[in-house]
Amino acid sequence: MRDSIFKLVQCWEWGAQHFDRVLKLFAGMILFSLMLITCVDVLGRYLFSSPLVGSVELTELLLGSLIFATLPLITWRKEHISVDLTDSIIPTAIKKVRDSIFNILVGISLFTIGFKIWDLATRSQRYDEVSEYLEIPIYYFTYFLAISCWLTAITSIVLVVTQAFNKQYDNQG
């Protein structure tokens, strides 16, 4: 029994490590695309008096995707903005309980938000909703937002489990 649990944990860690790399690569590609769109748009405006058509629309869609693509990474690394005014006077055991409760609430909230966003994506697909200028189907991005919320929720719940076993990974803050 113990060996099977150990193998399950190893598989989980291996998958999480590769998924971490994939999300970083995806976020890097989005960031590079944003940079490229901005450069082409600025050069087009000032050198040719012709801006890149739909650059604002692409920037909006890619920026939203970048934020949601990095949300699971930020959660895993515990890099959210936090105010720790009372952390120096609260005992460590209470901080662990507080953090676990917080992560559980975040996980439940993001699962709920993910389902709501998924419903919006389904409705967007049903109505064939597209962006204003480039006519890009919006539901692709909306489905991605929902999936990202669910991945972040799972990450929050996994943080509760790893904290319960006092497990700390190299890529966590």
Side-chain angles (χ1 to χ4, degrees):
M1 178 71 177
R2 185 179 170 139
D3 288 338
S4 62
I5 292 174
F6 183 69
K7 286 198 184 275
L8 178 67
V9 169
Q10 279 185 323
C11 285
W12 173 264
E13 289 173 345
W14 180 85
Q17 184 179 19
H18 289 292
F19 187 67
D20 183 67
R21 286 188 186 133
V22 167
L23 276 179
K24 287 178 189 173
L25 180 65
F26 186 63
M29 289 177 1
I30 293 172
L31 197 56
F32 182 78
S33 299
L34 282 166
M35 180 194 67
L36 193 63
I37 289 167
T38 303
C39 287
V40 169
D41 187 45
V42 169
L43 288 175
R45 274 180 208 277
Y46 292 110
L47 296 180
F48 306 110
S49 297
S50 177
L52 181 64
V53 176
S55 64
V56 172
E57 196 170 89
L58 284 172
T59 300
E60 289 172 351
L61 292 171
L62 290 175
L63 194 57
S65 298
L66 178 65
I67 290 167
F68 277 83
T70 57
L71 200 54
L73 296 172
I74 290 168
T75 301
W76 178 251
R77 292 171 173 257
K78 304 174 188 175
E79 292 179 343
H80 292 288
I81 296 173
S82 62
V83 179
D84 55 357
L85 296 174
T86 59
D87 276 3
S88 61
I89 59 173
I90 296 175
T92 306
I94 293 175
K95 281 193 266 187
K96 284 185 176 186
V97 171
R98 177 202 61 192
D99 292 346
S100 293
I101 291 170
F102 175 76
N103 283 325
I104 289 170
L105 292 175
V106 166
I108 291 169
S109 300
L110 284 172
F111 269 120
T112 306
I113 291 169
F115 282 114
K116 215 42 180 157
I117 293 174
W118 189 269
D119 288 342
L120 290 172
T122 303
R123 187 172 63 188
S124 175
Q125 184 179 14
R126 189 173 46 239
Y127 293 145
D128 291 325
E129 189 178 355
V130 293
S131 62
E132 189 174 350
Y133 297 108
L134 300 177
E135 297 185 358
I136 300 169
I138 299 296
Y139 62 89
Y140 291 125
F141 293 95
T142 315
Y143 279 129
F144 174 72
L145 300 182
I147 292 168
S148 180
C149 281
W150 291 332
L151 290 172
T152 307
I154 291 168
T155 303
S156 289
I157 301 303
V158 168
L159 283 176
V160 173
V161 174
T162 57
Q163 186 173 0
F165 291 106
N166 290 324
K167 182 82 171 165
Q168 182 77 15
Y169 293 95
D170 293 338
N171 60 353
Q172 287 181 322

